Amino acid sequence: MADIYNVRGRIFDIQRFSTHDGPGVRTIVFLKGCPLRCRWCCNPESQNYEIQLMKQKGKVKTVGYDTTVKEVMEEIMRDMPYYSRSGGGLTLSGGECLWQPDFGIALLKAAHENGINTAIETTGFADWEVIEQFIPEVDVFLMDIKHINSAKHKEFTTRPNELILHNARKIAEKAKRLIIRVPVIPGFNGTVEEIGEIAKFTASLPNVNEIHLLPYHRMGKDKYDGLARPYLMGDVPSPTTAKMQELLAVAKSYGLTTHLGG
């Protein structure tokens, strides 16, 4: 990679001052394209790699644009004082950054060159040969484990989970830090038994002792309307505070450090 700053990629948003996507204050870069189609995805505009039109608040806007590492880094560098004070940095999200490996790795390398902590939010659904290239450039992996049952995982996400679980174990062995995150979805994985299975798997991973439970919300529904796509979650409600506390207690019973939210 002769000049990482000229590597091009496709993103759809940059969000500054996040405190829910890794340690400290972070800038989130959202990449286009994802191999999964989770029914509850709150960023449906991230799924398709193609540049799209989406209607929001009565106006049509273009979703997605091509950019360079240099251009993105100029935005990231604006908040250097906040990163240094809080232990924050850059987080790649999506979509799935593993599916734009040249751009994703170049951006992480550039961040490290400038002394910026790095994290990625990932499904882990990619060939290991790709993930392995990310390992040296990622300080914190934030990896979703959505379900242990592969058939149910495929029903709700369109993909089975064997590759994901296999990669989780390998990432745990190689990464500097891995945090498992679980979107808690009523009707999919929102029971004591299902969260217990995920917690048990997490506790079995080498060097991993932290799990975050993320309660389902309907905030992305308007985006489906704007893309003229059906919202497949219907009227499923968010889990109650009491239910989330019950599930946190289950995860904690496996000796894990638990966190509610991002």
Side-chain angles (χ1 to χ4, degrees), residues 76 111 128 170 190 253:
I76 293 167
W128 174 249
K170 297 190 78 169
S253 72

Side-chain angles (χ1 to χ4, degrees), residues 78-217:
R78 292 170 63 186
D79 294 323
M80 286 292 286
Y82 299 102
Y83 308 148
S84 58
R85 290 176 199 153
S86 69
L90 164 68
T91 298
L92 300 189
S93 189
E96 175 53 75
C97 66
L98 299 179
W99 282 57
Q100 290 193 52
D102 291 345
F103 179 67
I105 292 167
L107 193 48
L108 295 167
K109 282 180 179 287
H112 272 167
E113 281 190 3
N114 288 277
I116 298 172
N117 178 275
T118 63
I120 68 170
E121 297 179 321
T122 181
T123 67
F125 193 92
D127 292 337
W128 174 249
E129 291 73 20
V130 171
I131 297 173
E132 196 171 29
Q133 297 175 61
F134 276 81
I135 295 280
E137 306 305 333
V138 178
D139 295 313
V140 184
F141 277 84
L142 302 163
M143 182 175 178
D144 277 9
I145 300 293
K146 300 175 174 73
H147 213 289
I148 298 301
N149 181 287
S150 186
K152 195 166 187 182
H153 191 280
K154 185 175 181 180
E155 178 187 356
F156 279 76
T157 73
T158 72
R159 297 284 193 169
N161 71 354
E162 286 85 359
L163 178 63
I164 292 169
L165 298 183
H166 175 73
N167 284 339
R169 195 163 294 281
K170 297 190 78 169
I171 292 170
E173 292 170 354
K174 305 285 187 180
K176 298 169 189 172
R177 184 182 179 192
L178 170 61
I179 297 171
I180 298 300
R181 307 209 302 180
V182 186
V184 177
I185 316 297
F188 170 60
N189 65 1
T191 67
V192 165
E193 292 75 19
E194 288 163 313
I195 295 300
E197 288 176 353
I198 298 173
K200 181 179 179 182
F201 173 78
T202 300
S204 77
L205 297 173
N207 312 311
V208 177
N209 60 8
E210 190 170 354
I211 188 168
H212 295 184
L213 303 187
L214 317 178
Y216 162 74
H217 58 75

Side-chain angles (χ1 to χ4, degrees), residues 50-109:
E50 302 304 317
I51 295 171
Q52 299 168 281
L53 297 177
M54 182 171 69
K55 192 172 183 179
Q56 274 194 317
K57 298 179 180 177
K59 296 181 179 179
V60 176
K61 73 171 192 175
T62 300
V63 180
Y65 60 95
D66 294 329
T67 186
T68 65
V69 169
K70 179 178 183 293
E71 289 167 338
V72 176
M73 283 302 301
E74 287 172 355
E75 184 75 9
I76 293 167
M77 296 286 287
R78 292 170 63 186
D79 294 323
M80 286 292 286
Y82 299 102
Y83 308 148
S84 58
R85 290 176 199 153
S86 69
L90 164 68
T91 298
L92 300 189
S93 189
E96 175 53 75
C97 66
L98 299 179
W99 282 57
Q100 290 193 52
D102 291 345
F103 179 67
I105 292 167
L107 193 48
L108 295 167
K109 282 180 179 287

Side-chain angles (χ1 to χ4, degrees), residues 15 26 28 78 84 219-220 234 237:
Q15 178 182 316
R26 309 192 73 84
I28 318 301
R78 292 170 63 186
S84 58
M219 288 191 290

